[in-house]
């Protein structure tokens, strides 16, 4: 148990703490991307969408964790051969990846702290709904981590991997109705938006925060879809991942 | 004492490329074993299979009685591996890199840090202990990985081309560290610097085109060849007729590979005609040439310096 703790710590140190400590500029980067959208949306909507955009920022931050994980895993694996050194050590695949996943949360912690503070100040809803939103965010995190892990194992170089993560970020968190309510989308596009897992997460958490009508049926559907996507992504991630190569 | 045993190992990559064909051998797991071969011979493939990084397609292998497939987790407790082209992580210092590696090996943070500082000192890098790896020279970066292995306490160590691309001085320093390390551990090293392998290795294996051609100590390798002596003489010298091989060396001198008796015979004749010549037991380079039919670097650029 203690050994697993040390192994988790190793991934966290390498992929978050040492990196942040040695290159503090990174911190600014992680804060800027979710906040810039938030500011833009709030500005354009004259403050009306403030709460919606705060929640959107949180969802995007969670979703980004997976894309960060993906590019970090392939960077460490392909450019430093670190993963092979770890494979041939007492660390198991799950522990290595879990450590890297936690490191992505730590890496994003400045953004999470700022957004959570804004959430506390500007979003007013019941405790139970806050817990619901936290659950949605966690599911989002797990989905994106699993997706990122699966992608990292199939991409063989960092450029390819980077292209993937850019594409995913744009599709799933910039274009998808995460920072704005889905009701703003005209009908045919709205259907398309439902292809993105972030849409369900946003719809659910915007509803829980009271920014959007949310019938019990729709809520159930959203939860079902989110859980389903998370399960499928984790299953694919675990199946696709190769620790020892074939 | 333990043994490393390969039994009919073969590897065909998913694209259909065959990289190893029925490799079988048995060596004690002590001292330095050097695997040599040209680029593409299969050194990395064999190293990766033995260090539990790659599944073989045929055959099996075990180290000290532990199967590389079935007992991989127990082997991983005991081994430290530096893959070909492994690099010290750019955004970390040597001490941070080694500390993290030791944590992955399961050590506690304080012990990891203590050992990291000790091993950095041991490889003569105390002054650079807290600089970023990206700012270190090529030789230093490689030393960080060796310090990592030293600190690990693992007793089965795999290093795939640890000295390739370094300047001769860094290479020498690195080999000295590795020799020291091999006193109480097993080192499995691949290289294409033959003089270094000859000087350092207790046992040498020659791999060519996925096949193991020979394996043994320098003495054993020499004994397996018909020609154990090498005479170097100027290209124009008058030589008596003899059994053996002639080749023109890079220095423009003629090299004759032959048996002991023939070598005596030729030497006498050269002495009589007052030719300058040298007589030596064959080197690993000569052995390689005789076994493979080519020099190790023919057809590849010399790659010195990063
Ligand atoms: N992952 C791979 N997929 C397909 N072919 C490979 C792979 N790795 C190596 N090879 C091929 O297998 C052969 C042996 O390669 P390798 O073991 O790397 O040789 P060496 O380390 O002696 O240079 C080469 O022809 C190489 O191109
Ligand atoms: Mg190789």
């Amino acid at each position: 148990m203690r050994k697993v703790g040390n192994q988790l710590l190793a991934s966290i140190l390498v992929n978050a703490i040492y990196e942040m400590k040695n290159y503090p500029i990174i911190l600014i980067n992680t804060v800027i991307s979710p906040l810039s959208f938030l500011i833009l949306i709030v500005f354009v909507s004259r403050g009306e969408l403030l709460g919606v955009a705060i929640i959107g920022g949180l969802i995007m931050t969670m979703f980004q964790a997976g894309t960060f994980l993906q590019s970090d895993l392939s960077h460490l694996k392909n450019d430093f051969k670190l993963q092979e050194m770890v494979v041939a050590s007492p660390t198991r695949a799950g522990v290595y990846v879990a450590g890297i996943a936690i490191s992505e949360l730590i890496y994003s912690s400045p953004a999470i702290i700022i957004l959570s503070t804004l959430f506390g100040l500007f979003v007013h809803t019941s405790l139970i709904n806050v817990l619901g939103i936290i659950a949605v965010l966690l599911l989002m995190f797990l989905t994106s981590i699993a997706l990122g892990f699966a992608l990292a194992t199939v991409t063989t170089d960092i450029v390819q991997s980077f292209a993937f993560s850019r594409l995913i970020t744009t599709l799933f968190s910039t274009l998808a109705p995460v920072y704005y309510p889905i009701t703003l989308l005209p009908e045919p596009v709205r259907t398309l938006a439902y292809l993105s897992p972030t849409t369900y997460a946003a719809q659910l958490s915007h509803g829980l925060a009271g920014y959007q009508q949310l019938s019990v049926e729709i809520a159930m559907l959203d939860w079902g879809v989110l859980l389903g996507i998370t399960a499928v992504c984790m299953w694919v991630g675990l199946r696709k991942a190769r620790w020892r190569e074939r | 004492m333990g043994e490393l045993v390969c039994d009919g190992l073969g590897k065909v990559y998913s694209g259909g490329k065959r990289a190893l064909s029925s490799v079988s051998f048995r060596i004690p797991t002590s001292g330095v074993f050097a695997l040599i071969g040209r680029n593409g011979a299969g050194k990395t493939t064999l190293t990766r299979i033995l260090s539990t990084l790659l599944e073989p397609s045929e055959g099996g292998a075990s180290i000290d009685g532990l199967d590389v497939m079935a007992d991989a987790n127990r082997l991983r407790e005991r081994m430290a591996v530096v893959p070909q082209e492994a690099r010290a992580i750019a955004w970390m210092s040597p001490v941070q890199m080694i500390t993290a590696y030791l944590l992955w090996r399961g050590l506690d943070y304080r012990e990891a840090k203590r050992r990291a500082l000790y091993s950095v000192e041991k490889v003569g890098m105390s002054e650079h202990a807290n600089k970023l790896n990206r700012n270190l020279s090529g030789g230093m970066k490689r030393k960080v990985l060796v310090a990592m292995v030293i600190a690990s306490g693992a007793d089965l160590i795999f290093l795939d081309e640890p000295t390739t691309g370094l300047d001769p001085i860094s290479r020498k320093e690195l080999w000295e560290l590795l020799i020291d390390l091999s006193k109480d551990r097993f080192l499995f090293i691949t290289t294409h610097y033959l003089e270094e392998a000859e000087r350092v290795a207790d046992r040498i294996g020659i791999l060519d085109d996925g096949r193991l051609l020979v394996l043994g100590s320098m003495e054993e390798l020499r004994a397996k060849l018909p020609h154990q002596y090498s005479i170097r003489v100027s290209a124009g010298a008058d030589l008596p007729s003899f059994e053996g091989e002639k080749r023109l060396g890079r220095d423009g001198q003629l090299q004759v590979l032959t048996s002991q008796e023939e070598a005596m015979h030729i030497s006498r004749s050269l002495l009589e005609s007052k030719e300058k010549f040298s007589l030596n037991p064959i080197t690993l380079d000569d052995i390689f040439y005789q076994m493979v039919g080519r020099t190790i670097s023919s057809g590849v650029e010399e790659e010195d310096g990063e």
Side-chain angles (χ1 to χ4, degrees), chain A residues 117-134:
Chain A
T117 310
L118 292 175
F119 185 96
L121 292 174
F122 297 108
V123 180
H124 307 289
T125 183
S126 66
L127 181 63
I128 190 92
N129 286 343
V130 171
L131 290 177
I133 292 171
I134 291 174

Side-chain angles (χ1 to χ4, degrees), chain A residues 185-204:
Chain A
L185 286 176
E187 195 35 75
V189 186
R190 197 184 291 188
T191 318
L192 261 179
Y194 281 108
L195 289 175
S196 166
T198 48
T199 303
Y200 302 91
Q203 178 167 293
L204 201 50

